[in-house]
Amino acid sequence: MADATIIDGKAFAAGLRARVADGVAALKASHGVTPGLAVVLVGEDAASQVYVRSKERALVELGMNSFDHHEPADMAESDLLALIDRLNADPAVHGILVQLPLPRHIDTQKVLARIVPEKDADGFHVVNAGLLATGQPGAIVPCTPLGSLLLIRDTLGRDLKGKRALVLGRSNIVGKPMAQLLLQADCTVTMAHSRTADLPAECRRADILVAAVGRPEMVRGDWIKPGATVIDVGINRVPAVGINRVAAAEPGKTRLVGDVAFDEAVKVAGAITPVPGGVGPMTIACLMLNTLAAACRAAGAPVPEEAAL
Ligand SMILES: Nc1nc2c(c(=O)[nH]1)N[C@@H](CN(C=O)c1ccc(C(=O)N[C@@H](CCC(=O)O)C(=O)O)cc1)CN2
């Protein structure tokens, strides 16, 4: 059997970003509005700093305003809530993003709930989760599941009716919204997690397998149905030689792996996302899309089709 098609998330994300840039220019021309995203980072988490810088750079590249708020790790929760109140009230801010994880002394749910739902560029607010779960229009969809769906559609076409989909992982920001999106697309959806009985057998039934469990290379090649579409959401940093290998790792050197054992899975799947270069780049591209969509809604302009599920 031929190896799987590699789903090039980096290339798809570049195309999506170009479409967002066109949309931004069109909104400026038609309504005189420049979309703006407030990017809030609390603390010095190294990975978060990298992601936030990428987001701020992307906003500027696409012609949008980036309102950067980099706050100290010991910022009081009440001060963060007050900042969000100010951003909620600022008409130049169409979207608000609070980079996660937040420092432990801050209640994440309380902070996310404070963002007004129409500026919730991440789609994490319970109102947006509720709109998505009840299939109502206007939901802002979380970026990673939205990006994953766009890659699935690009691979399999828009008609996913009757396909068996398995979502491995039940987080509020990936697993649950991903399952809702696939359900809305008329897939038969199973949600699985670390406690699921006979997980390999459950996975083997899936035409579409989305792995978002945060465990390096957990999904093995023989868990995959031949020809399945595999979307690997995991981004795990491991010692350079990797897990499950005998040789010692070079001290200090790391590499990224997904939740799927890629070298095994690529021999069985029909199509698969790599890590890096698969779902990851779609997360930031979809944040740009959600910001444009929020600005369009605020201006009474049509919302880009890819954001209006
Ligand atoms: N408020 C949010 N916080 C977090 C989110 C989120 O969507 N909203 N997601 C993650 C981190 N994240 C964006 O914030 C993110 C993760 C990974 C990538 C990405 O492009 N990954 C690359 C590899 C990058 C590397 O070399 O380290 C890839 O997979 O190709 C982008 C964004 C947690 N927090």
Side-chain angles (χ1 to χ4, degrees), residues 139-208:
I140 300 178
V141 178
C143 304
T144 303
L146 176 57
S148 301
L149 182 74
L150 295 177
L151 293 180
I152 293 168
R153 278 183 180 173
D154 191 54
T155 304
L156 295 174
R158 287 184 71 105
D159 184 8
L160 303 175
K161 206 179 302 126
K163 297 214 178 287
R164 283 184 183 276
L166 182 130
V167 180
L168 177 53
R170 50 182 161 178
S171 70
N172 289 338
I173 68 177
V174 182
K176 286 174 190 161
M178 187 74 243
Q180 299 291 355
L181 288 171
L182 291 165
L183 200 55
Q184 206 167 294
D186 296 325
C187 291
T188 302
V189 181
T190 302
M191 286 205 74
H193 43 79
S194 55
R195 304 282 170 87
T196 296
D198 202 352
L199 191 50
E202 291 291 347
C203 291
R204 249 176 249 126
R205 275 193 279 275
D207 304 307
I208 299 169

Short mmCIF file of all heavy atoms in Angstrom, two decimals, residues 139-208:
data_model
loop_
_atom_site.label_atom_id
_atom_site.label_comp_id
_atom_site.label_asym_id
_atom_site.label_seq_id
_atom_site.Cartn_x
_atom_site.Cartn_y
_atom_site.Cartn_z
N ALA A 139 -21.64 31.40 15.93
CA ALA A 139 -20.66 30.94 16.93
C ALA A 139 -19.27 31.30 16.45
O ALA A 139 -18.97 31.17 15.26
CB ALA A 139 -20.75 29.43 17.10
N ILE A 140 -18.42 31.78 17.36
CA ILE A 140 -16.99 31.89 17.06
C ILE A 140 -16.39 30.54 17.45
O ILE A 140 -16.54 30.09 18.59
CB ILE A 140 -16.34 33.05 17.83
CG1 ILE A 140 -17.03 34.39 17.46
CG2 ILE A 140 -14.84 33.12 17.53
CD1 ILE A 140 -16.51 35.61 18.20
N VAL A 141 -15.77 29.88 16.46
CA VAL A 141 -15.31 28.50 16.66
C VAL A 141 -13.84 28.51 17.07
O VAL A 141 -13.03 29.20 16.44
CB VAL A 141 -15.51 27.70 15.34
CG1 VAL A 141 -15.00 26.28 15.50
CG2 VAL A 141 -16.98 27.71 14.91
N PRO A 142 -13.46 27.75 18.11
CA PRO A 142 -12.06 27.69 18.53
C PRO A 142 -11.13 27.36 17.36
O PRO A 142 -11.46 26.56 16.47
CB PRO A 142 -12.05 26.59 19.59
CG PRO A 142 -13.43 26.61 20.15
CD PRO A 142 -14.33 26.93 18.99
N CYS A 143 -9.96 28.01 17.37
CA CYS A 143 -9.08 28.04 16.18
C CYS A 143 -8.54 26.67 15.78
O CYS A 143 -8.50 26.35 14.58
CB CYS A 143 -7.93 29.00 16.45
SG CYS A 143 -8.51 30.65 16.89
N THR A 144 -8.12 25.86 16.74
CA THR A 144 -7.51 24.57 16.36
C THR A 144 -8.54 23.62 15.75
O THR A 144 -8.28 23.04 14.68
CB THR A 144 -6.79 23.95 17.58
OG1 THR A 144 -5.82 24.91 18.06
CG2 THR A 144 -6.08 22.67 17.23
N PRO A 145 -9.72 23.45 16.35
CA PRO A 145 -10.73 22.60 15.69
C PRO A 145 -11.20 23.17 14.34
O PRO A 145 -11.39 22.41 13.39
CB PRO A 145 -11.90 22.58 16.69
CG PRO A 145 -11.35 23.07 17.96
CD PRO A 145 -10.14 23.87 17.70
N LEU A 146 -11.34 24.50 14.27
CA LEU A 146 -11.75 25.10 12.98
C LEU A 146 -10.69 24.79 11.92
O LEU A 146 -11.02 24.36 10.80
CB LEU A 146 -11.92 26.62 13.15
CG LEU A 146 -12.25 27.41 11.89
CD1 LEU A 146 -13.51 26.90 11.22
CD2 LEU A 146 -12.39 28.91 12.20
N GLY A 147 -9.42 24.97 12.27
CA GLY A 147 -8.33 24.68 11.32
C GLY A 147 -8.32 23.22 10.94
O GLY A 147 -8.10 22.87 9.76
N SER A 148 -8.59 22.34 11.89
CA SER A 148 -8.61 20.90 11.60
C SER A 148 -9.75 20.58 10.63
O SER A 148 -9.57 19.81 9.68
CB SER A 148 -8.80 20.11 12.90
OG SER A 148 -7.76 20.38 13.79
N LEU A 149 -10.92 21.19 10.86
CA LEU A 149 -12.06 20.94 9.95
C LEU A 149 -11.74 21.42 8.54
O LEU A 149 -12.06 20.73 7.56
CB LEU A 149 -13.33 21.61 10.46
CG LEU A 149 -14.55 21.33 9.58
CD1 LEU A 149 -15.05 19.90 9.77
CD2 LEU A 149 -15.68 22.31 9.81
N LEU A 150 -11.11 22.58 8.44
CA LEU A 150 -10.78 23.11 7.10
C LEU A 150 -9.82 22.14 6.39
O LEU A 150 -9.95 21.91 5.18
CB LEU A 150 -10.20 24.52 7.20
CG LEU A 150 -11.16 25.60 7.72
CD1 LEU A 150 -10.45 26.95 7.86
CD2 LEU A 150 -12.39 25.76 6.82
N LEU A 151 -8.88 21.56 7.12
CA LEU A 151 -7.96 20.59 6.51
C LEU A 151 -8.69 19.30 6.12
O LEU A 151 -8.42 18.72 5.06
CB LEU A 151 -6.80 20.26 7.47
CG LEU A 151 -5.81 21.38 7.77
CD1 LEU A 151 -4.72 20.90 8.73
CD2 LEU A 151 -5.16 21.91 6.50
N ILE A 152 -9.62 18.86 6.95
CA ILE A 152 -10.39 17.64 6.64
C ILE A 152 -11.21 17.87 5.37
O ILE A 152 -11.23 17.04 4.45
CB ILE A 152 -11.32 17.24 7.82
CG1 ILE A 152 -10.48 16.80 9.02
CG2 ILE A 152 -12.29 16.14 7.40
CD1 ILE A 152 -11.25 16.65 10.32
N ARG A 153 -11.88 19.04 5.28
CA ARG A 153 -12.69 19.34 4.09
C ARG A 153 -11.82 19.43 2.84
O ARG A 153 -12.22 19.02 1.77
CB ARG A 153 -13.37 20.69 4.27
CG ARG A 153 -14.64 20.66 5.08
CD ARG A 153 -15.11 22.08 5.01
NE ARG A 153 -16.32 22.35 5.71
CZ ARG A 153 -16.81 23.59 5.85
NH1 ARG A 153 -16.15 24.62 5.36
NH2 ARG A 153 -17.92 23.78 6.48
N ASP A 154 -10.63 20.01 3.00
CA ASP A 154 -9.73 20.16 1.86
C ASP A 154 -9.26 18.78 1.37
O ASP A 154 -9.01 18.58 0.18
CB ASP A 154 -8.53 21.02 2.26
CG ASP A 154 -7.68 21.43 1.07
OD1 ASP A 154 -8.27 22.01 0.12
OD2 ASP A 154 -6.47 21.15 1.05
N THR A 155 -9.20 17.82 2.29
CA THR A 155 -8.72 16.48 1.95
C THR A 155 -9.85 15.61 1.40
O THR A 155 -9.68 14.91 0.41
CB THR A 155 -8.15 15.80 3.23
OG1 THR A 155 -7.14 16.66 3.77
CG2 THR A 155 -7.55 14.44 2.92
N LEU A 156 -11.02 15.67 2.06
CA LEU A 156 -12.11 14.73 1.75
C LEU A 156 -13.27 15.38 1.01
O LEU A 156 -14.20 14.69 0.60
CB LEU A 156 -12.64 14.10 3.04
CG LEU A 156 -11.67 13.20 3.82
CD1 LEU A 156 -12.28 12.78 5.14
CD2 LEU A 156 -11.33 11.96 2.98
N GLY A 157 -13.23 16.70 0.86
CA GLY A 157 -14.38 17.40 0.28
C GLY A 157 -15.32 17.83 1.38
O GLY A 157 -15.16 17.47 2.56
N ARG A 158 -16.33 18.62 1.02
CA ARG A 158 -17.23 19.19 2.04
C ARG A 158 -18.24 18.18 2.55
O ARG A 158 -18.80 18.34 3.63
CB ARG A 158 -17.96 20.41 1.45
CG ARG A 158 -17.05 21.61 1.29
CD ARG A 158 -17.85 22.77 0.81
NE ARG A 158 -18.74 23.27 1.86
CZ ARG A 158 -18.52 24.38 2.54
NH1 ARG A 158 -17.48 25.13 2.27
NH2 ARG A 158 -19.35 24.78 3.46
N ASP A 159 -18.52 17.14 1.73
CA ASP A 159 -19.55 16.19 2.13
C ASP A 159 -18.93 15.08 2.99
O ASP A 159 -18.31 14.15 2.47
CB ASP A 159 -20.22 15.60 0.89
CG ASP A 159 -21.36 14.67 1.27
OD1 ASP A 159 -21.71 14.61 2.47
OD2 ASP A 159 -21.90 14.00 0.37
N LEU A 160 -19.10 15.20 4.30
CA LEU A 160 -18.51 14.21 5.22
C LEU A 160 -19.61 13.30 5.79
O LEU A 160 -19.37 12.52 6.73
CB LEU A 160 -17.81 14.95 6.38
CG LEU A 160 -16.71 15.95 5.97
CD1 LEU A 160 -16.17 16.69 7.19
CD2 LEU A 160 -15.58 15.23 5.24
N LYS A 161 -20.80 13.41 5.17
CA LYS A 161 -21.99 12.70 5.66
C LYS A 161 -21.71 11.20 5.88
O LYS A 161 -21.18 10.54 5.00
CB LYS A 161 -23.08 12.85 4.60
CG LYS A 161 -24.49 12.77 5.09
CD LYS A 161 -25.48 12.94 3.93
CE LYS A 161 -25.31 14.25 3.20
NZ LYS A 161 -25.13 14.10 1.76
N GLY A 162 -22.08 10.71 7.05
CA GLY A 162 -22.02 9.27 7.31
C GLY A 162 -20.63 8.74 7.64
O GLY A 162 -20.49 7.56 7.98
N LYS A 163 -19.63 9.58 7.57
CA LYS A 163 -18.28 9.09 7.91
C LYS A 163 -18.17 8.87 9.42
O LYS A 163 -18.73 9.64 10.20
CB LYS A 163 -17.21 10.08 7.45
CG LYS A 163 -17.18 10.27 5.94
CD LYS A 163 -15.79 10.50 5.43
CE LYS A 163 -15.77 10.64 3.93
NZ LYS A 163 -15.97 9.40 3.20
N ARG A 164 -17.45 7.82 9.77
CA ARG A 164 -17.21 7.57 11.20
C ARG A 164 -16.01 8.39 11.63
O ARG A 164 -14.93 8.25 11.07
CB ARG A 164 -16.86 6.10 11.44
CG ARG A 164 -18.04 5.19 11.42
CD ARG A 164 -17.59 3.78 11.76
NE ARG A 164 -18.71 2.87 11.67
CZ ARG A 164 -19.59 2.68 12.66
NH1 ARG A 164 -19.46 3.33 13.80
NH2 ARG A 164 -20.59 1.85 12.50
N ALA A 165 -16.23 9.28 12.61
CA ALA A 165 -15.13 10.12 13.10
C ALA A 165 -14.88 9.78 14.56
O ALA A 165 -15.83 9.58 15.34
CB ALA A 165 -15.50 11.59 12.96
N LEU A 166 -13.63 9.70 14.92
CA LEU A 166 -13.29 9.52 16.33
C LEU A 166 -12.41 10.67 16.77
O LEU A 166 -11.42 10.98 16.11
CB LEU A 166 -12.55 8.20 16.56
CG LEU A 166 -12.22 7.98 18.05
CD1 LEU A 166 -12.65 6.61 18.54
CD2 LEU A 166 -10.74 8.21 18.35
N VAL A 167 -12.81 11.31 17.86
CA VAL A 167 -12.02 12.40 18.45
C VAL A 167 -11.41 11.86 19.73
O VAL A 167 -12.14 11.47 20.66
CB VAL A 167 -12.88 13.65 18.73
CG1 VAL A 167 -12.03 14.76 19.34
CG2 VAL A 167 -13.56 14.14 17.46
N LEU A 168 -10.10 11.81 19.76
CA LEU A 168 -9.40 11.31 20.94
C LEU A 168 -8.94 12.51 21.77
O LEU A 168 -8.07 13.27 21.33
CB LEU A 168 -8.20 10.46 20.47
CG LEU A 168 -7.27 9.89 21.54
CD1 LEU A 168 -8.04 9.12 22.60
CD2 LEU A 168 -6.23 8.99 20.88
N GLY A 169 -9.57 12.69 22.92
CA GLY A 169 -9.30 13.87 23.77
C GLY A 169 -10.58 14.64 23.98
O GLY A 169 -11.37 14.79 23.04
N ARG A 170 -10.78 15.12 25.21
CA ARG A 170 -12.08 15.76 25.53
C ARG A 170 -11.90 17.14 26.13
O ARG A 170 -12.67 17.57 26.99
CB ARG A 170 -12.87 14.86 26.48
CG ARG A 170 -12.06 14.42 27.68
CD ARG A 170 -12.85 13.50 28.57
NE ARG A 170 -11.96 12.74 29.43
CZ ARG A 170 -12.38 11.89 30.35
NH1 ARG A 170 -13.65 11.67 30.53
NH2 ARG A 170 -11.52 11.23 31.10
N SER A 171 -10.87 17.87 25.69
CA SER A 171 -10.66 19.22 26.23
C SER A 171 -11.75 20.15 25.71
O SER A 171 -12.34 19.92 24.64
CB SER A 171 -9.28 19.75 25.83
OG SER A 171 -9.27 20.03 24.44
N ASN A 172 -11.95 21.24 26.48
CA ASN A 172 -12.94 22.24 26.04
C ASN A 172 -12.47 23.00 24.82
O ASN A 172 -13.28 23.52 24.05
CB ASN A 172 -13.19 23.25 27.16
CG ASN A 172 -13.96 22.64 28.30
OD1 ASN A 172 -14.65 21.62 28.13
ND2 ASN A 172 -13.84 23.21 29.48
N ILE A 173 -11.12 23.09 24.64
CA ILE A 173 -10.65 23.95 23.54
C ILE A 173 -10.38 23.19 22.25
O ILE A 173 -10.31 23.80 21.20
CB ILE A 173 -9.45 24.84 23.96
CG1 ILE A 173 -8.20 24.03 24.21
CG2 ILE A 173 -9.79 25.67 25.17
CD1 ILE A 173 -7.01 24.94 24.55
N VAL A 174 -10.26 21.87 22.31
CA VAL A 174 -10.06 21.11 21.06
C VAL A 174 -11.07 19.96 20.94
O VAL A 174 -11.91 19.95 20.04
CB VAL A 174 -8.62 20.56 20.92
CG1 VAL A 174 -8.47 19.84 19.58
CG2 VAL A 174 -7.59 21.68 21.00
N GLY A 175 -11.00 18.98 21.84
CA GLY A 175 -11.79 17.76 21.66
C GLY A 175 -13.29 18.00 21.53
O GLY A 175 -13.93 17.56 20.56
N LYS A 176 -13.86 18.73 22.50
CA LYS A 176 -15.32 18.91 22.48
C LYS A 176 -15.78 19.71 21.27
O LYS A 176 -16.70 19.27 20.55
CB LYS A 176 -15.81 19.54 23.79
CG LYS A 176 -15.78 18.55 24.95
CD LYS A 176 -16.12 19.23 26.27
CE LYS A 176 -15.87 18.30 27.44
NZ LYS A 176 -15.75 19.04 28.71
N PRO A 177 -15.18 20.91 20.99
CA PRO A 177 -15.64 21.63 19.78
C PRO A 177 -15.38 20.86 18.49
O PRO A 177 -16.16 20.94 17.54
CB PRO A 177 -14.86 22.94 19.81
CG PRO A 177 -13.82 22.81 20.87
CD PRO A 177 -14.24 21.72 21.78
N MET A 178 -14.29 20.08 18.44
CA MET A 178 -14.01 19.28 17.24
C MET A 178 -15.14 18.29 17.00
O MET A 178 -15.62 18.12 15.87
CB MET A 178 -12.68 18.53 17.42
CG MET A 178 -12.18 17.80 16.21
SD MET A 178 -11.53 18.95 14.99
CE MET A 178 -12.62 18.70 13.62
N ALA A 179 -15.56 17.62 18.07
CA ALA A 179 -16.66 16.65 17.96
C ALA A 179 -17.94 17.34 17.49
O ALA A 179 -18.67 16.81 16.65
CB ALA A 179 -16.88 15.96 19.30
N GLN A 180 -18.19 18.54 18.01
CA GLN A 180 -19.42 19.28 17.60
C GLN A 180 -19.37 19.62 16.11
O GLN A 180 -20.38 19.52 15.41
CB GLN A 180 -19.55 20.59 18.39
CG GLN A 180 -19.67 20.43 19.89
CD GLN A 180 -20.98 19.81 20.33
OE1 GLN A 180 -21.86 19.58 19.51
NE2 GLN A 180 -21.10 19.54 21.61
N LEU A 181 -18.20 20.03 15.64
CA LEU A 181 -18.07 20.40 14.22
C LEU A 181 -18.31 19.18 13.33
O LEU A 181 -18.97 19.27 12.28
CB LEU A 181 -16.67 20.97 13.93
CG LEU A 181 -16.41 22.38 14.48
CD1 LEU A 181 -14.93 22.74 14.33
CD2 LEU A 181 -17.28 23.41 13.77
N LEU A 182 -17.76 18.04 13.72
CA LEU A 182 -17.91 16.83 12.89
C LEU A 182 -19.35 16.33 12.94
O LEU A 182 -19.89 15.84 11.94
CB LEU A 182 -16.93 15.75 13.37
CG LEU A 182 -15.45 16.09 13.08
CD1 LEU A 182 -14.52 15.19 13.88
CD2 LEU A 182 -15.16 15.97 11.58
N LEU A 183 -19.99 16.50 14.08
CA LEU A 183 -21.40 16.13 14.21
C LEU A 183 -22.26 17.00 13.30
O LEU A 183 -23.15 16.52 12.60
CB LEU A 183 -21.80 16.33 15.68
CG LEU A 183 -23.03 15.61 16.22
CD1 LEU A 183 -22.94 14.12 15.98
CD2 LEU A 183 -23.14 15.89 17.73
N GLN A 184 -21.96 18.29 13.31
CA GLN A 184 -22.68 19.24 12.46
C GLN A 184 -22.49 18.91 10.98
O GLN A 184 -23.34 19.21 10.16
CB GLN A 184 -22.12 20.64 12.75
CG GLN A 184 -23.08 21.76 12.49
CD GLN A 184 -22.54 23.05 13.12
OE1 GLN A 184 -22.45 23.16 14.35
NE2 GLN A 184 -22.15 23.99 12.30
N ALA A 185 -21.35 18.27 10.66
CA ALA A 185 -21.07 17.86 9.28
C ALA A 185 -21.65 16.48 8.97
O ALA A 185 -21.29 15.86 7.96
CB ALA A 185 -19.57 17.86 9.03
N ASP A 186 -22.54 16.00 9.86
CA ASP A 186 -23.23 14.72 9.67
C ASP A 186 -22.33 13.50 9.76
O ASP A 186 -22.65 12.44 9.19
CB ASP A 186 -24.00 14.70 8.34
CG ASP A 186 -25.12 15.72 8.31
OD1 ASP A 186 -25.73 15.95 9.37
OD2 ASP A 186 -25.38 16.30 7.23
N CYS A 187 -21.21 13.62 10.45
CA CYS A 187 -20.40 12.43 10.74
C CYS A 187 -21.03 11.67 11.91
O CYS A 187 -21.80 12.24 12.69
CB CYS A 187 -18.98 12.83 11.16
SG CYS A 187 -18.00 13.52 9.83
N THR A 188 -20.70 10.40 12.01
CA THR A 188 -21.06 9.62 13.20
C THR A 188 -19.86 9.71 14.13
O THR A 188 -18.80 9.19 13.82
CB THR A 188 -21.34 8.15 12.81
OG1 THR A 188 -22.39 8.16 11.84
CG2 THR A 188 -21.74 7.32 14.02
N VAL A 189 -20.06 10.43 15.24
CA VAL A 189 -18.90 10.84 16.04
C VAL A 189 -18.78 10.03 17.34
O VAL A 189 -19.75 9.88 18.07
CB VAL A 189 -19.00 12.35 16.39
CG1 VAL A 189 -17.78 12.79 17.19
CG2 VAL A 189 -19.11 13.18 15.11
N THR A 190 -17.58 9.54 17.59
CA THR A 190 -17.26 8.92 18.88
C THR A 190 -16.24 9.81 19.58
O THR A 190 -15.29 10.26 18.93
CB THR A 190 -16.63 7.52 18.67
OG1 THR A 190 -17.54 6.72 17.94
CG2 THR A 190 -16.29 6.86 19.99
N MET A 191 -16.46 10.06 20.86
CA MET A 191 -15.43 10.76 21.65
C MET A 191 -14.74 9.74 22.53
O MET A 191 -15.39 9.01 23.28
CB MET A 191 -16.07 11.83 22.53
CG MET A 191 -16.52 13.02 21.73
SD MET A 191 -16.59 14.48 22.77
CE MET A 191 -14.86 14.88 22.98
N ALA A 192 -13.42 9.72 22.42
CA ALA A 192 -12.66 8.77 23.22
C ALA A 192 -11.63 9.53 24.05
O ALA A 192 -11.35 10.69 23.77
CB ALA A 192 -11.97 7.77 22.31
N HIS A 193 -11.08 8.85 25.05
CA HIS A 193 -10.10 9.50 25.93
C HIS A 193 -9.27 8.42 26.60
O HIS A 193 -9.43 7.22 26.28
CB HIS A 193 -10.83 10.39 26.94
CG HIS A 193 -12.05 9.76 27.53
ND1 HIS A 193 -11.98 8.83 28.52
CD2 HIS A 193 -13.37 9.87 27.19
CE1 HIS A 193 -13.22 8.42 28.82
NE2 HIS A 193 -14.07 9.03 28.01
N SER A 194 -8.43 8.83 27.52
CA SER A 194 -7.47 7.88 28.11
C SER A 194 -8.17 6.74 28.86
O SER A 194 -7.58 5.68 29.07
CB SER A 194 -6.52 8.62 29.05
OG SER A 194 -7.29 9.33 29.99
N ARG A 195 -9.43 6.95 29.26
CA ARG A 195 -10.13 5.90 30.02
C ARG A 195 -11.03 5.04 29.12
O ARG A 195 -11.75 4.17 29.61
CB ARG A 195 -11.02 6.54 31.10
CG ARG A 195 -10.28 7.44 32.06
CD ARG A 195 -9.53 6.60 33.09
NE ARG A 195 -8.62 7.43 33.88
CZ ARG A 195 -8.94 8.08 34.98
NH1 ARG A 195 -10.16 8.00 35.43
NH2 ARG A 195 -8.06 8.79 35.62
N THR A 196 -11.05 5.29 27.82
CA THR A 196 -11.91 4.52 26.92
C THR A 196 -11.44 3.06 26.88
O THR A 196 -10.23 2.80 26.78
CB THR A 196 -11.85 5.13 25.50
OG1 THR A 196 -12.40 6.43 25.56
CG2 THR A 196 -12.61 4.30 24.49
N ALA A 197 -12.40 2.14 26.95
CA ALA A 197 -12.04 0.71 26.89
C ALA A 197 -11.67 0.36 25.45
O ALA A 197 -12.33 0.80 24.51
CB ALA A 197 -13.24 -0.12 27.36
N ASP A 198 -10.66 -0.43 25.30
CA ASP A 198 -10.13 -0.89 24.00
C ASP A 198 -10.05 0.26 22.99
O ASP A 198 -10.68 0.25 21.93
CB ASP A 198 -10.97 -2.04 23.45
CG ASP A 198 -10.16 -2.85 22.43
OD1 ASP A 198 -9.04 -2.41 22.09
OD2 ASP A 198 -10.65 -3.90 21.99
N LEU A 199 -9.23 1.21 23.35
CA LEU A 199 -9.03 2.40 22.51
C LEU A 199 -8.55 2.04 21.10
O LEU A 199 -9.06 2.58 20.10
CB LEU A 199 -8.06 3.33 23.23
CG LEU A 199 -7.87 4.73 22.71
CD1 LEU A 199 -9.19 5.44 22.49
CD2 LEU A 199 -7.00 5.51 23.69
N PRO A 200 -7.58 1.11 20.96
CA PRO A 200 -7.14 0.77 19.59
C PRO A 200 -8.30 0.31 18.71
O PRO A 200 -8.39 0.72 17.54
CB PRO A 200 -6.13 -0.36 19.81
CG PRO A 200 -5.60 -0.13 21.19
CD PRO A 200 -6.76 0.43 21.98
N ALA A 201 -9.20 -0.50 19.27
CA ALA A 201 -10.33 -1.00 18.47
C ALA A 201 -11.27 0.15 18.09
O ALA A 201 -11.78 0.20 16.96
CB ALA A 201 -11.09 -2.06 19.24
N GLU A 202 -11.50 1.07 19.01
CA GLU A 202 -12.35 2.25 18.70
C GLU A 202 -11.72 3.05 17.56
O GLU A 202 -12.40 3.47 16.63
CB GLU A 202 -12.51 3.15 19.93
CG GLU A 202 -13.32 2.56 21.07
CD GLU A 202 -14.81 2.43 20.74
OE1 GLU A 202 -15.26 3.00 19.74
OE2 GLU A 202 -15.50 1.72 21.48
N CYS A 203 -10.42 3.28 17.67
CA CYS A 203 -9.72 4.08 16.64
C CYS A 203 -9.81 3.39 15.28
O CYS A 203 -10.01 4.05 14.25
CB CYS A 203 -8.25 4.28 17.02
SG CYS A 203 -8.04 5.37 18.43
N ARG A 204 -9.67 2.06 15.27
CA ARG A 204 -9.64 1.30 14.01
C ARG A 204 -10.93 1.41 13.22
O ARG A 204 -10.98 1.08 12.05
CB ARG A 204 -9.33 -0.16 14.32
CG ARG A 204 -7.96 -0.59 13.84
CD ARG A 204 -7.66 -2.01 14.26
NE ARG A 204 -6.61 -2.02 15.27
CZ ARG A 204 -6.69 -2.61 16.46
NH1 ARG A 204 -7.78 -3.26 16.83
NH2 ARG A 204 -5.68 -2.55 17.29
N ARG A 205 -12.01 1.83 13.87
CA ARG A 205 -13.31 1.98 13.16
C ARG A 205 -13.42 3.32 12.44
O ARG A 205 -14.34 3.53 11.66
CB ARG A 205 -14.46 1.88 14.17
CG ARG A 205 -14.89 0.45 14.46
CD ARG A 205 -16.22 0.44 15.19
NE ARG A 205 -16.02 0.70 16.62
CZ ARG A 205 -15.73 -0.24 17.50
NH1 ARG A 205 -15.60 -1.49 17.10
NH2 ARG A 205 -15.57 0.04 18.77
N ALA A 206 -12.49 4.23 12.70
CA ALA A 206 -12.70 5.63 12.28
C ALA A 206 -12.19 5.91 10.86
O ALA A 206 -11.05 5.59 10.52
CB ALA A 206 -11.98 6.57 13.26
N ASP A 207 -13.07 6.53 10.06
CA ASP A 207 -12.63 7.04 8.75
C ASP A 207 -11.84 8.33 8.94
O ASP A 207 -11.00 8.68 8.13
CB ASP A 207 -13.86 7.36 7.87
CG ASP A 207 -14.76 6.15 7.71
OD1 ASP A 207 -14.24 5.10 7.31
OD2 ASP A 207 -15.98 6.26 7.99
N ILE A 208 -12.22 9.08 9.99
CA ILE A 208 -11.51 10.32 10.34
C ILE A 208 -11.09 10.18 11.80
O ILE A 208 -11.94 9.97 12.68
CB ILE A 208 -12.44 11.55 10.18
CG1 ILE A 208 -12.92 11.70 8.73
CG2 ILE A 208 -11.73 12.83 10.65
CD1 ILE A 208 -14.04 12.71 8.56
#
